[in-house]
Amino acid sequence: MSTSETQQSRRPRRTGRPIPVVVLAGFLGSGKTTLLNHLLAHRGGTRIGVVVNDFGSIEIDAMSVAGQVGDSMVSLGGGCLCCAVDGSELDAYLAKLADPAHRIDVIVIEASGLAEPQELIRMLVAGENPDVRYGGMVEVVDAAEFDATRRRHPETDRHLAVADLVVLNKTDRVDAAERARIESVLGGLCPGIPLVAADHGRIDPELLFDRRPWTETRGQLSFEDLLGRAAEEHGEDDDHAGHAHTHYETTEFVTDDALSPRRFIDFLDARPAGLYRIKGFVYFGVPGHEEKYEVHAVGRFLSFAPLPWARAEPRRTQLVLIGSGTDGPALLSGLEACRESAPQDAPADSMWGVLRYVRQDPADPIG
């Protein structure tokens, strides 16, 4: 057995679900670091592991409390771990971040402005670490430099084509007509991919991950406390800075009936572009697939994970849908149409559409 295999076998295994890994991509100057800092400052009690994939030493503005981030790992009191790595080290750093001792909830990879996001995605979906899973790719676009960026980097169009969510950043630097033009171009380059407009990287973290209350971490002078104090000094409210959440609507759906897997997949395939995130648990009740299925979608990225029911837990579907400009009643009507009164009679092949998005084996790609 090799040294790395021995170390892997000694590493404690997580007892919970795999940690989602979100790729944050975009060319130099698009505002990735600003967006990342915003997520860190408004994450609630969520513990975020951050991997910075870039060339040379990187300094992240909001992490100045930790000093220069070079090739080493920096551990901060709030549970945030940051690494500056190249692609060949990615698996090793993800394994370190997934160590149960760190209690990380989500990992964000800030890709180099010159990186190929397709390669990062390939590495994540083909990885053999069962403690992490690919959680979608977010492409950040600079509205003020949109045309110039495409001229300098023709590969921009290719990057947009593999994105699960596009953030049109720096919209405060263009007028309404220019913004509409760019959004139209983006709609042609990546049809069906959700588009979020932002300035200074301010998007709602709930679009990417759940936020926890600060009650367990505040008062420890953690990294999160330092960020919170900085926000307070600048007159920002902890939970409402920038009021990004006011641009989104939340729709909730709960039913004790099983859902038809075929009709539910049809519903997901037809989801509107403004529906950015779907999360929750689905009960299908098809023979051989009576588990509850965790569903997670960021933009067009979709995954399912079968999980055991807790003792005495009612068989129930619970979904939260987050979007902008969405028709809540229409979404609920679409979900109501997915109800299945006799799931026990459904054929086994009715689950094929769902199983396409279940990572059956760590070596198998999702979807």
Side-chain angles (χ1 to χ4, degrees):
M1 180 179 292
S2 68
T3 302
S4 61
E5 290 173 332
T6 301
Q7 292 174 341
Q8 182 78 7
S9 65
R10 290 175 180 172
R11 182 169 60 86
R13 297 303 303 275
R14 290 176 55 83
T15 57
R17 297 187 294 275
I19 301 172
V21 181
V22 177
V23 176
L24 185 60
F27 287 99
L28 297 170
S30 61
K32 299 189 304 297
T33 298
T34 301
L35 191 154
L36 176 58
N37 290 341
H38 173 76
L39 295 178
L40 290 170
H42 301 91
R43 58 186 169 153
T46 302
R47 290 177 178 264
I48 306 176
V50 177
V51 177
V52 178
N53 172 231
D54 219 315
F55 299 95
S57 296
I58 304 301
E59 181 173 343
I60 301 178
D61 294 341
M63 297 179 182
S64 58
V65 292
Q68 183 76 14
V69 178
D71 294 329
S72 61
M73 178 178 293
V74 178
S75 178
L76 298 169
C80 182
L81 301 175
C82 312
C83 321
V85 303
D86 59 37
S88 65
E89 298 173 309
L90 183 59
D91 286 343
Y93 278 107
L94 290 178
K96 290 181 180 179
L97 289 169
D99 189 310
H102 301 313
R103 296 185 293 162
I104 295 296
D105 299 305
V106 62
I107 298 171
V108 178
I109 298 177
E110 183 187 355
S112 159
L114 301 177
E116 283 291 339
Q118 299 98 316
E119 180 62 17
L120 284 173
I121 294 170
R122 185 197 65 77
M123 293 172 64
L124 289 169
V125 299
E128 298 182 356
N129 186 346
D131 294 335
V132 298
R133 62 172 174 81
Y134 175 58
M137 196 272 272
V138 179
E139 180 77 10
V140 184
V141 175
D142 183 344
E145 299 290 334
F146 179 66
D147 293 328
T149 299
R150 290 185 72 202
R151 285 194 299 270
R152 288 194 304 270
H153 303 286
E155 63 270 30
T156 297
D157 295 2
R158 186 174 70 251
H159 294 185
L160 287 166
V162 299
D164 298 297
L165 183 67
V166 175
V167 175
L168 181 60
N169 197 28
K170 305 185 184 181
T171 53
D172 56 312
R173 295 180 55 190
V174 298
D175 60 27
E178 176 65 0
R179 171 176 163 178
R181 181 190 71 83
I182 296 172
E183 290 178 343
S184 177
V185 173
L186 288 171
L189 293 174
C190 42
I193 298 177
L195 174 67
V196 179
D199 61 85
H200 300 91
R202 293 192 293 249
I203 68 169
D204 193 332
E206 293 285 348
L207 296 181
L208 302 179
F209 56 80
D210 294 330
R211 287 186 291 180
R212 297 180 179 179
W214 282 25
T215 52
E216 295 183 2
T217 59
R218 289 203 76 136
Q220 302 175 19
L221 196 58
S222 67
F223 181 48
E224 188 163 11
D225 281 323
L226 293 173
L227 288 170
R229 289 185 183 183
E232 291 168 359
E233 290 171 1
H234 286 84
E236 297 179 354
D237 183 278
D238 293 339
D239 294 322
H240 303 279
H243 298 277
H245 65 284
T246 62
H247 301 300
Y248 311 110
E249 304 93 31
T250 299
T251 302
E252 298 180 357
F253 176 77
V254 179
T255 179
D256 290 329
D257 292 335
L259 296 192
S260 161
R262 286 176 173 165
R263 292 197 294 274
F264 186 56
I265 287 294
D266 288 342
F267 169 84
L268 294 175
D269 286 343
R271 61 190 186 272
L275 185 55
Y276 304 133
R277 189 174 182 219
I278 302 172
K279 58 181 179 177
F281 302 95
V282 184
Y283 170 53
F284 295 115
V286 175
H289 302 278
E290 290 90 353
E291 310 99 322
K292 66 177 177 181
Y293 279 77
E294 180 184 43
V295 59
H296 171 75
V298 173
R300 68 176 184 177
F301 170 76
L302 174 65
S303 70
F304 286 93
L307 300 169
W309 297 96
R311 181 177 298 180
E313 181 180 3
R315 276 40 175 174
R316 176 178 297 157
T317 291
Q318 297 176 288
L319 296 170
V320 177
L321 302 90
I322 304 173
S324 176
T326 54
D327 185 338
L331 292 175
L332 290 175
S333 177
L335 289 169
E336 290 285 351
C338 295
R339 292 176 186 262
E340 177 57 68
S341 59
Q344 68 277 4
D345 297 331
D349 63 7
S350 66
M351 286 292 294
W352 287 357
V354 171
L355 297 179
R356 284 182 55 226
Y357 299 98
V358 173
R359 195 178 183 189
Q360 303 285 3
D361 183 270
D364 294 335
I366 298 172

